[in-house]
Amino acid sequence: MKKHNPKSFMKHTILFFALLILTSCGVQKVPLNELHTLEPVKLYENSNDFLNKQPMEKELGILVKDKSDQHITTKGIFDLKTGEKSKNGISAWAIEYNKDHYFNLGYSTDVNHWGSYAKFDIEGKYCAIIIDENSPYILKSTSQTYGGGLAGGLIAESLKWGKNWKDEEGNKKRILFIDTEDIHNKMMSRNESAHGNYFTKKQFKKILDETGTVLTDEKIKEIEFHRIIELIKSANEK
Protein backbone atom coordinates (compact mmCIF):
# COMPACT_ATOMS: atom_id res chain seq x y z
CA MET A 1 0.00 0.00 0.00
CA LYS A 2 1.28 3.44 -1.02
CA LYS A 3 1.99 5.68 1.95
CA HIS A 4 0.94 9.33 1.92
CA ASN A 5 3.55 11.96 2.66
CA PRO A 6 2.11 14.16 5.49
CA LYS A 7 4.26 17.14 4.46
CA SER A 8 3.15 16.87 0.82
CA PHE A 9 -0.49 16.58 1.87
CA MET A 10 -0.21 19.64 4.10
CA LYS A 11 1.50 21.62 1.30
CA HIS A 12 -1.28 20.83 -1.16
CA THR A 13 -3.96 21.63 1.43
CA ILE A 14 -2.46 25.05 2.16
CA LEU A 15 -2.15 25.76 -1.56
CA PHE A 16 -5.81 24.81 -2.12
CA PHE A 17 -7.09 27.15 0.60
CA ALA A 18 -4.80 29.96 -0.57
CA LEU A 19 -6.26 29.69 -4.07
CA LEU A 20 -9.77 29.56 -2.61
CA ILE A 21 -9.19 32.77 -0.64
CA LEU A 22 -7.70 34.55 -3.65
CA THR A 23 -10.65 33.50 -5.79
CA SER A 24 -13.26 34.62 -3.23
CA CYS A 25 -11.48 37.94 -2.72
CA GLY A 26 -11.22 38.68 -6.43
CA VAL A 27 -12.94 41.72 -7.91
CA GLN A 28 -16.51 40.90 -8.84
CA LYS A 29 -18.18 42.70 -11.69
CA VAL A 30 -21.76 42.96 -12.85
CA PRO A 31 -22.41 40.46 -15.68
CA LEU A 32 -22.03 42.13 -19.07
CA ASN A 33 -25.56 41.19 -20.11
CA GLU A 34 -26.91 42.95 -16.99
CA LEU A 35 -24.75 46.08 -17.05
CA HIS A 36 -27.52 48.14 -18.66
CA THR A 37 -29.97 47.12 -15.92
CA LEU A 38 -28.04 48.86 -13.11
CA GLU A 39 -30.29 51.41 -11.41
CA PRO A 40 -28.68 54.42 -9.64
CA VAL A 41 -28.76 54.55 -5.83
CA LYS A 42 -27.32 56.68 -3.05
CA LEU A 43 -25.89 54.91 -0.03
CA TYR A 44 -25.83 56.11 3.57
CA GLU A 45 -23.05 54.45 5.52
CA ASN A 46 -24.72 54.78 8.94
CA SER A 47 -27.82 56.17 10.64
CA ASN A 48 -26.09 59.45 11.51
CA ASP A 49 -25.20 60.09 7.86
CA PHE A 50 -28.79 59.35 6.92
CA LEU A 51 -30.16 61.88 9.43
CA ASN A 52 -27.67 64.49 8.21
CA LYS A 53 -28.42 63.73 4.54
CA GLN A 54 -24.81 62.85 3.79
CA PRO A 55 -24.69 59.99 1.28
CA MET A 56 -21.47 58.27 0.24
CA GLU A 57 -19.71 60.13 -2.58
CA LYS A 58 -19.77 57.28 -5.08
CA GLU A 59 -21.76 56.66 -8.23
CA LEU A 60 -23.37 53.31 -7.50
CA GLY A 61 -26.19 51.22 -8.89
CA ILE A 62 -28.12 48.11 -7.91
CA LEU A 63 -29.23 45.02 -9.73
CA VAL A 64 -32.81 44.50 -8.59
CA LYS A 65 -33.76 40.90 -7.88
CA ASP A 66 -37.24 41.55 -6.51
CA LYS A 67 -39.27 44.56 -5.40
CA SER A 68 -42.67 45.75 -4.24
CA ASP A 69 -44.18 49.02 -3.06
CA GLN A 70 -42.52 48.37 0.30
CA HIS A 71 -39.18 46.72 -0.39
CA ILE A 72 -36.25 46.01 -2.70
CA THR A 73 -34.11 42.88 -2.81
CA THR A 74 -30.87 43.23 -4.74
CA LYS A 75 -28.38 40.97 -6.47
CA GLY A 76 -25.66 43.41 -5.50
CA ILE A 77 -24.46 47.00 -5.50
CA PHE A 78 -21.97 48.01 -8.21
CA ASP A 79 -19.92 50.97 -9.39
CA LEU A 80 -21.79 52.57 -12.28
CA LYS A 81 -18.56 53.42 -14.11
CA THR A 82 -16.50 50.27 -13.71
CA GLY A 83 -19.17 47.66 -12.98
CA GLU A 84 -17.14 46.45 -10.00
CA LYS A 85 -19.01 45.28 -6.95
CA SER A 86 -18.99 47.80 -4.10
CA LYS A 87 -16.99 46.54 -1.13
CA ASN A 88 -19.02 48.57 1.35
CA GLY A 89 -22.39 48.36 -0.37
CA ILE A 90 -23.85 45.56 1.73
CA SER A 91 -23.00 47.43 4.97
CA ALA A 92 -24.79 50.67 4.05
CA TRP A 93 -27.44 51.50 6.66
CA ALA A 94 -29.90 52.90 4.12
CA ILE A 95 -30.23 53.59 0.41
CA GLU A 96 -32.04 56.15 -1.71
CA TYR A 97 -33.73 54.62 -4.76
CA ASN A 98 -36.08 56.49 -7.11
CA LYS A 99 -36.22 59.34 -4.55
CA ASP A 100 -37.47 57.00 -1.79
CA HIS A 101 -35.42 55.93 1.24
CA TYR A 102 -35.02 52.30 2.28
CA PHE A 103 -33.70 50.73 5.50
CA ASN A 104 -31.15 47.90 5.27
CA LEU A 105 -32.83 44.87 6.87
CA GLY A 106 -29.39 43.54 7.79
CA TYR A 107 -29.63 46.01 10.70
CA SER A 108 -32.69 44.22 12.07
CA THR A 109 -32.92 41.03 14.08
CA ASP A 110 -36.70 40.65 13.96
CA VAL A 111 -36.78 41.09 10.17
CA ASN A 112 -33.22 40.16 9.21
CA HIS A 113 -32.42 39.89 5.50
CA TRP A 114 -29.09 41.12 4.11
CA GLY A 115 -29.48 42.46 0.58
CA SER A 116 -33.09 43.50 1.20
CA TYR A 117 -34.33 46.99 2.05
CA ALA A 118 -37.65 48.25 3.45
CA LYS A 119 -39.13 51.63 2.51
CA PHE A 120 -39.51 54.05 5.41
CA ASP A 121 -43.03 55.19 6.28
CA ILE A 122 -41.75 57.65 8.89
CA GLU A 123 -38.35 59.36 8.79
CA GLY A 124 -36.66 61.43 11.47
CA LYS A 125 -35.15 60.88 14.88
CA TYR A 126 -37.64 58.05 15.08
CA CYS A 127 -38.08 56.03 11.89
CA ALA A 128 -40.77 53.47 11.28
CA ILE A 129 -41.83 50.88 8.72
CA ILE A 130 -45.42 49.70 8.84
CA ILE A 131 -45.98 46.02 8.14
CA ASP A 132 -49.38 44.44 7.55
CA GLU A 133 -50.90 41.26 6.15
CA ASN A 134 -50.44 42.53 2.59
CA SER A 135 -46.74 43.24 3.02
CA PRO A 136 -44.31 41.01 1.09
CA TYR A 137 -43.03 37.90 2.83
CA ILE A 138 -39.56 39.42 3.23
CA LEU A 139 -41.03 41.96 5.69
CA LYS A 140 -42.84 39.30 7.71
CA SER A 141 -39.95 36.90 8.26
CA THR A 142 -36.37 36.77 9.48
CA SER A 143 -33.27 34.75 8.69
CA GLN A 144 -32.40 34.76 12.40
CA THR A 145 -33.60 32.10 14.83
CA TYR A 146 -33.66 32.78 18.56
CA GLY A 147 -34.85 30.69 21.46
CA GLY A 148 -34.83 31.76 25.07
CA GLY A 149 -32.52 34.17 26.80
CA LEU A 150 -32.55 37.94 26.78
CA ALA A 151 -32.74 38.36 22.98
CA GLY A 152 -35.55 35.83 22.66
CA GLY A 153 -37.40 37.43 25.56
CA LEU A 154 -37.22 40.92 24.07
CA ILE A 155 -38.48 39.69 20.70
CA ALA A 156 -41.32 37.81 22.35
CA GLU A 157 -42.25 40.93 24.33
CA SER A 158 -42.41 43.11 21.24
CA LEU A 159 -44.43 40.55 19.30
CA LYS A 160 -46.89 40.08 22.13
CA TRP A 161 -47.41 43.81 22.58
CA GLY A 162 -47.78 44.67 18.91
CA LYS A 163 -49.60 41.74 17.35
CA ASN A 164 -53.14 43.00 17.99
CA TRP A 165 -52.91 46.51 16.62
CA LYS A 166 -55.56 47.23 14.04
CA ASP A 167 -56.17 50.24 11.85
CA GLU A 168 -59.57 51.89 11.39
CA GLU A 169 -60.51 49.28 8.79
CA GLY A 170 -59.65 46.39 11.09
CA ASN A 171 -56.40 45.42 9.33
CA LYS A 172 -53.64 44.04 11.55
CA LYS A 173 -50.50 46.16 11.73
CA ARG A 174 -46.98 45.90 13.10
CA ILE A 175 -44.22 48.53 13.38
CA LEU A 176 -40.54 48.07 12.64
CA PHE A 177 -39.15 50.90 14.73
CA ILE A 178 -35.76 52.66 14.75
CA ASP A 179 -34.65 54.98 17.55
CA THR A 180 -31.69 56.75 15.93
CA GLU A 181 -30.44 57.87 19.35
CA ASP A 182 -29.92 54.24 20.37
CA ILE A 183 -26.60 53.55 18.65
CA HIS A 184 -25.03 50.08 18.56
CA ASN A 185 -21.31 49.49 18.16
CA LYS A 186 -19.87 48.27 14.86
CA MET A 187 -20.09 44.48 14.63
CA MET A 188 -19.27 42.25 11.67
CA SER A 189 -21.09 43.71 8.61
CA ARG A 190 -22.99 46.29 10.65
CA ASN A 191 -21.56 49.80 10.91
CA GLU A 192 -21.96 51.79 14.13
CA SER A 193 -25.64 52.65 13.79
CA ALA A 194 -29.15 52.36 15.16
CA HIS A 195 -30.97 49.07 14.68
CA GLY A 196 -34.58 48.46 13.66
CA ASN A 197 -36.81 45.94 15.40
CA TYR A 198 -40.44 45.54 16.42
CA PHE A 199 -41.75 48.43 18.49
CA THR A 200 -41.58 47.72 22.23
CA LYS A 201 -43.53 49.10 25.16
CA LYS A 202 -40.31 50.61 26.54
CA GLN A 203 -39.80 52.57 23.31
CA PHE A 204 -43.41 53.70 23.34
CA LYS A 205 -43.06 55.05 26.87
CA LYS A 206 -40.10 57.12 25.67
CA ILE A 207 -42.35 58.55 22.94
CA LEU A 208 -45.02 59.34 25.54
CA ASP A 209 -42.50 61.15 27.74
CA GLU A 210 -41.18 63.26 24.86
CA THR A 211 -44.65 64.27 23.70
CA GLY A 212 -45.89 64.98 27.23
CA THR A 213 -48.60 62.34 26.89
CA VAL A 214 -49.84 60.66 30.06
CA LEU A 215 -51.42 57.23 29.71
CA THR A 216 -52.09 54.56 32.30
CA ASP A 217 -50.88 51.02 31.66
CA GLU A 218 -54.47 50.08 30.92
CA LYS A 219 -54.79 52.84 28.32
CA ILE A 220 -51.49 51.80 26.75
CA LYS A 221 -52.86 48.29 26.27
CA GLU A 222 -55.93 49.68 24.53
CA ILE A 223 -54.26 52.33 22.38
CA GLU A 224 -55.25 52.38 18.72
CA PHE A 225 -52.74 52.01 15.92
CA HIS A 226 -53.36 55.39 14.30
CA ARG A 227 -52.74 57.10 17.65
CA ILE A 228 -49.32 55.42 17.96
CA ILE A 229 -48.37 56.70 14.51
CA GLU A 230 -49.52 60.22 15.43
CA LEU A 231 -47.39 60.19 18.57
CA ILE A 232 -44.25 58.97 16.75
CA LYS A 233 -44.64 61.77 14.19
CA SER A 234 -45.28 64.28 16.99
CA ALA A 235 -42.10 63.17 18.81
CA ASN A 236 -40.11 63.80 15.62
CA GLU A 237 -41.26 67.41 15.65
CA LYS A 238 -39.94 68.07 19.14
Side-chain angles (χ1 to χ4, degrees), residues 15 41 44 54 95 155 187 215 237:
L15 179 61
V41 292
Y44 296 89
Q54 295 178 336
I95 65 173
I155 293 170
M187 185 178 68
L215 291 176
E237 296 172 359

Side-chain angles (χ1 to χ4, degrees), residues 120-225:
F120 290 104
D121 290 298
I122 299 174
E123 297 180 28
K125 180 172 68 173
Y126 301 114
C127 299
I129 296 154
I130 300 170
I131 301 170
D132 60 27
E133 294 172 322
N134 296 318
S135 296
Y137 175 77
I138 204 81
L139 298 185
K140 297 186 289 185
S141 63
T142 181
S143 63
Q144 300 278 15
T145 55
Y146 289 90
L150 179 59
L154 289 174
I155 293 170
E157 177 196 352
S158 62
L159 287 171
K160 182 178 180 181
W161 189 60
K163 69 178 181 180
N164 293 320
W165 286 326
K166 292 183 179 180
D167 63 16
E168 294 176 349
E169 297 177 353
N171 299 311
K172 293 181 180 179
K173 303 283 187 177
R174 186 167 291 162
I175 301 170
L176 196 67
F177 184 79
I178 304 156
D179 179 351
T180 62
E181 293 182 329
D182 185 13
I183 301 296
H184 295 249
N185 292 331
K186 179 179 175 62
M187 185 178 68
M188 299 179 71
S189 294
R190 291 176 174 176
N191 298 322
E192 184 177 319
S193 288
H195 292 179
N197 287 304
Y198 291 134
F199 197 36
T200 65
K201 189 179 292 184
K202 181 179 179 180
Q203 290 170 329
F204 184 50
K205 287 184 175 180
K206 182 179 177 182
I207 296 292
L208 293 177
D209 289 341
E210 292 193 9
T211 57
T213 305
V214 179
L215 291 176
T216 63
D217 286 342
E218 193 61 35
K219 289 293 184 181
I220 289 177
K221 291 179 183 178
E222 298 173 357
I223 194 163
E224 296 175 333
F225 177 78

Side-chain angles (χ1 to χ4, degrees), residues 34 37 62-66 73-78 85 115:
E34 294 184 299
T37 65
I62 57 173
L63 281 180
V64 177
K65 180 179 180 181
D66 181 42
T73 296
T74 73
K75 294 180 182 179
I77 299 176
F78 302 86
K85 193 167 187 178

Side-chain angles (χ1 to χ4, degrees), residues 41-55:
V41 292
K42 292 180 181 178
L43 269 61
Y44 296 89
E45 185 174 359
N46 53 56
S47 50
N48 189 55
D49 286 351
F50 178 73
L51 285 179
N52 292 316
K53 300 180 180 179
Q54 295 178 336

